[in-house]
Amino acid sequence: MLILLWGLPGDSPLAAVQKELQNLGIPHVLLNQREIIETEVKLSVGEKITGEICTPTDKIDLNAVTGVYLRPHDSYKLPEIMEAGPESYAWQHATAVDNALLSWVEMTSALVLNRFSAMAANNSKPYQLQQIRKFGFQVPDTLVTTTPNAVHEFWQDHGSVIYKSVSSTRSKVSQLRPERAERLDNVVSCPTQFQQYIPGRDYRVHVVGGDVFACAISSAADDYRYAGVTNAPEIFSYRLPEDIENKCRVMAAEMELSLAGIDLRETPEGEWYCFEVNPSPGFTYYQQETNQPISNAIARLLASGKTVSRKL
């Protein structure tokens, strides 16, 4: 058994899982992106894929890897790679290492949290909303447009509207207010996602294999993640209704996400809306607030090497 962690040492979720693996005595190795210039990947593809990764401190036999936790960035975006430029050896080598590892991750029989092919749906939030609807959750009416008049009509139809990024890039969720109306002409330059505002309480749900960790969030901010210190949200552990909890399990399993962060909201009328399924959740913020053992569950899941059946 060997668990491979891939990313930057300062990444909070990666560090939390590594600490749990150490505490549990589970063999693991960190593939440090900061060392990518000194990293070599060798792959051989036949009836099965074999290979090794050589770093300044380790020689990793990929055949021995039984679990993988992915938290990498695009290596070419590292400051030293960006400074060298696209024509440099550093840039081309970093890109080649990334591509080799991305290929291996898709083909390995090891448990991967999560394969990039499974995470790809999050790159288009409107597409992911179509997936979410299939699992019995309500989703807000949504408009993606570059036409200001379409936004005005959508706003008039729904009364209260929020806007946010279309892609997986993290963005602040804000309500569209009259004082911002004059900026709507800017959407001609950038496709923007507008949604019907849904009142109610927020819930963040982390699915780790078959385990579900839910927390309730009380906040007056449009986006509790950016509420600030003075208006910090209240976050506490919560037990979801059994049917909602099971929907979260099934949805994550069907999306082939053994690890997922799911954003829900319950309306005053008791309707449950799902806004997003994050395939690489920054769970440590919620773990610190609730003391839920999320990182421990991830470490144990990696050690088990077992994917979750779609038939739950």
Side-chain angles (χ1 to χ4, degrees):
M1 176 194 300
L2 179 65
I3 308 304
L4 176 65
L5 309 174
W6 180 19
L8 298 172
D11 179 73
S12 180
L14 195 70
V17 172
Q18 183 176 27
K19 182 179 179 180
E20 292 293 345
L21 291 169
Q22 290 170 342
N23 292 340
L24 294 168
I26 298 169
H28 64 280
V29 61
L30 172 63
L31 182 58
N32 183 355
Q33 279 193 286
R34 296 286 181 200
E35 300 175 342
I36 193 162
I37 300 303
E38 296 82 32
T39 298
E40 298 283 346
V41 180
K42 301 175 183 178
L43 296 179
S44 177
V45 180
E47 292 185 3
K48 62 179 182 177
I49 184 168
T50 60
E52 66 178 13
I53 304 172
C54 297
T55 75
T57 55
D58 295 288
K59 181 176 287 188
I60 306 165
D61 180 4
L62 292 176
N63 305 314
V65 174
T66 55
V68 187
Y69 182 40
L70 301 174
R71 292 282 300 179
H73 299 262
D74 291 325
S75 293
Y76 69 83
K77 293 182 179 178
L78 294 171
E80 58 271 31
I81 309 298
M82 291 285 287
E83 185 178 348
E87 302 303 319
S88 67
Y89 166 80
W91 184 296
Q92 293 174 19
H93 178 78
T95 301
V97 170
D98 277 0
N99 288 341
L101 289 171
L102 291 172
S103 298
W104 174 76
V105 162
E106 291 299 322
M107 294 185 286
T108 179
S109 59
L111 170 64
V112 180
L113 307 182
N114 289 296
R115 297 186 198 275
F116 289 98
S117 56
M119 291 196 281
N122 190 242
N123 292 332
S124 171
K125 289 185 170 64
Y127 172 71
Q128 192 188 67
L129 284 176
Q130 293 183 17
Q131 290 186 311
I132 290 169
R133 186 184 285 112
K134 295 189 302 183
F135 299 99
F137 285 109
Q138 300 279 355
V139 299
D141 288 346
T142 300
L143 170 72
V144 178
T145 187
T146 56
T147 305
N149 286 341
V151 181
H152 283 288
E153 292 176 8
F154 187 79
W155 193 4
Q156 188 173 35
D157 288 344
H158 292 286
S160 295
V161 171
I162 61 96
Y163 59 94
K164 59 184 179 181
S165 167
V166 178
S167 73
S168 59
T169 301
R170 185 173 182 174
S171 65
K172 185 177 181 179
V173 177
S174 300
Q175 280 203 56
L176 185 57
R177 295 184 171 88
E179 59 268 26
R180 293 172 177 164
E182 62 183 27
R183 298 174 56 194
L184 285 178
D185 287 344
N186 294 337
V187 302
V188 300
S189 303
C190 179
T192 306
Q193 180 174 219
F194 298 86
Q195 288 185 329
Q196 160 196 19
Y197 173 74
I198 306 297
R201 168 175 278 180
D202 287 308
Y203 298 84
R204 176 57 176 244
V205 183
H206 291 97
V207 178
V208 184
D211 295 329
V212 175
F213 303 93
C215 57
I217 302 154
S218 294
S219 174
D222 289 344
D223 190 332
Y224 67 84
R225 301 169 302 172
Y226 299 94
V229 176
T230 56
N231 297 308
E234 294 182 32
I235 301 176
F236 48 92
S237 295
Y238 184 83
R239 181 63 186 266
L240 293 170
E242 186 176 351
D243 63 324
I244 301 301
E245 182 177 291
N246 198 49
K247 280 182 183 179
C248 290
R249 278 197 197 91
V250 171
M251 182 165 64
E254 286 285 343
M255 291 182 172
E256 298 184 354
L257 300 174
S258 296
L259 170 63
I262 301 173
D263 293 321
L264 303 180
R265 182 171 293 175
E266 183 188 18
T267 70
E269 295 75 31
E271 291 185 303
W272 286 85
Y273 280 75
C274 180
F275 298 141
E276 183 178 353
V277 181
N278 189 325
S280 185
F283 64 86
T284 46
Y285 171 66
Y286 305 93
Q287 179 169 277
Q288 290 165 3
E289 295 294 321
T290 63
N291 291 318
Q292 293 174 330
I294 302 171
S295 57
N296 181 271
I298 294 171
R300 292 182 181 278
L301 177 61
L302 286 166
S304 76
K306 297 178 181 177
T307 57
V308 179
S309 170
R310 296 187 184 189
K311 297 179 180 180
L312 295 176

